[in-house]
Amino acid sequence: MSKHADPLPPDCTHPADPDLLNRMFMHGRTFNRWLNRPVDDALLMRIWNLARLGATAANSQPLRVLFVRSEAAKAQLKPCLAPGNIEKTMAAPVTALFAADSQFYDHLPRLFPHADARSWFAGDAQKDMARESAFRNSTLQAAYFMLAARALGLDCGPMSGFDAPLLNQTFFPDGRYTVNFICNLGHGDPQSLHPRHPRLEFEEACRII
């Protein structure tokens, strides 16, 4: 546990699996510095196989993930990054490019076979709805992915500081996929963490009506 780890509030001391919840939430942090430990293909596949089970509208699953790990791929990614994100991203074992598939609906006859869900999104009249659905549900899936990564022992560093048009041109040149956000993955250096910033209380962010 990091020297900066927060004490557990009362309602996180007796869940069914406190260790798992602690990894995912209480002790889960955004990392900017990384230990020199590789992330292998098998672990990335395990994370995906968990994350894909999360709910999406009409089981549409529009998220597409490109894992940047090789030196050649990192060299392509570097010019796309905001200056403040270069060092930590180049040092990360893997960077996930979370993208939305604009033609996700082509898979719906297989993914949602009990209704003609493809017709809800395909065609010029549905273009805006398809774009919104791809963005919304790929965001959901990317969040599932990060929680699955934490559950399986990895740390995450999500970010949005990048040149999206350049990144899309570099990695998704045919235009079908559009980057949503990116996330460094690896084993974070706990000594690099600062104390956790405050979070909004229930009464500040939530209402029951």
Side-chain angles (χ1 to χ4, degrees):
M1 184 186 302
S2 164
K3 63 182 180 181
H4 296 305
D6 300 327
L8 297 181
D11 45 10
C12 284
T13 58
H14 51 80
D17 190 343
D19 290 338
L20 179 60
L21 291 184
N22 287 337
R23 284 200 304 274
M24 295 172 69
F25 296 102
M26 298 304 299
H27 303 157
R29 300 292 302 277
T30 296
F31 279 85
N32 294 321
R33 295 189 180 277
W34 306 93
L35 301 177
N36 187 22
R37 294 175 59 185
V39 175
D40 63 25
D41 293 358
L43 181 53
L44 296 175
M45 292 175 67
R46 287 183 66 199
I47 295 167
W48 172 256
N49 286 334
L50 283 176
R52 66 179 179 165
L53 299 176
T56 55
N59 196 33
S60 55
Q61 304 176 53
L63 180 68
R64 306 294 177 258
V65 188
L66 181 61
F67 297 106
V68 175
R69 184 169 57 191
S70 69
E71 291 303 316
K74 285 188 175 187
Q76 289 182 288
L77 179 59
K78 185 175 180 179
C80 305
L81 300 172
N85 288 335
I86 291 175
E87 181 179 358
K88 61 186 177 183
T89 303
M90 293 299 101
V94 179
T95 301
L97 310 184
F98 293 131
D101 181 357
S102 64
Q103 295 177 337
F104 67 91
Y105 45 77
D106 286 340
H107 297 280
L108 287 177
R110 177 168 62 95
L111 299 178
F112 202 72
H114 58 281
D116 182 16
R118 186 182 185 280
S119 67
W120 305 343
F121 301 102
D124 290 341
Q126 291 83 15
K127 187 174 296 184
D128 288 344
M129 185 169 69
R131 185 185 303 110
E132 288 183 14
S133 186
F135 177 78
R136 182 179 302 115
N137 288 283
S138 68
T139 305
L140 269 176
Q141 286 191 281
Y144 298 146
F145 187 99
M146 290 190 295
L147 290 177
R150 283 181 173 181
L152 293 180
L154 284 188
D155 296 303
C156 303
M159 68 190 81
S160 57
F162 56 88
D163 183 333
L166 180 59
L167 190 148
N168 286 327
Q169 180 183 350
T170 302
F171 292 98
F172 310 121
D174 69 359
R176 175 164 176 163
Y177 301 164
T178 302
V179 67
N180 189 328
F181 66 100
I182 67 179
C183 182
N184 292 329
L185 300 169
H187 297 91
D189 179 0
Q191 300 305 312
S192 69
L193 291 175
H194 52 69
R196 189 193 291 274
H197 294 313
R199 297 299 196 267
L200 293 177
E201 298 295 338
F202 182 90
E203 295 78 9
E204 297 178 279
C206 306
R207 291 193 304 150
I208 301 173
I209 61 173

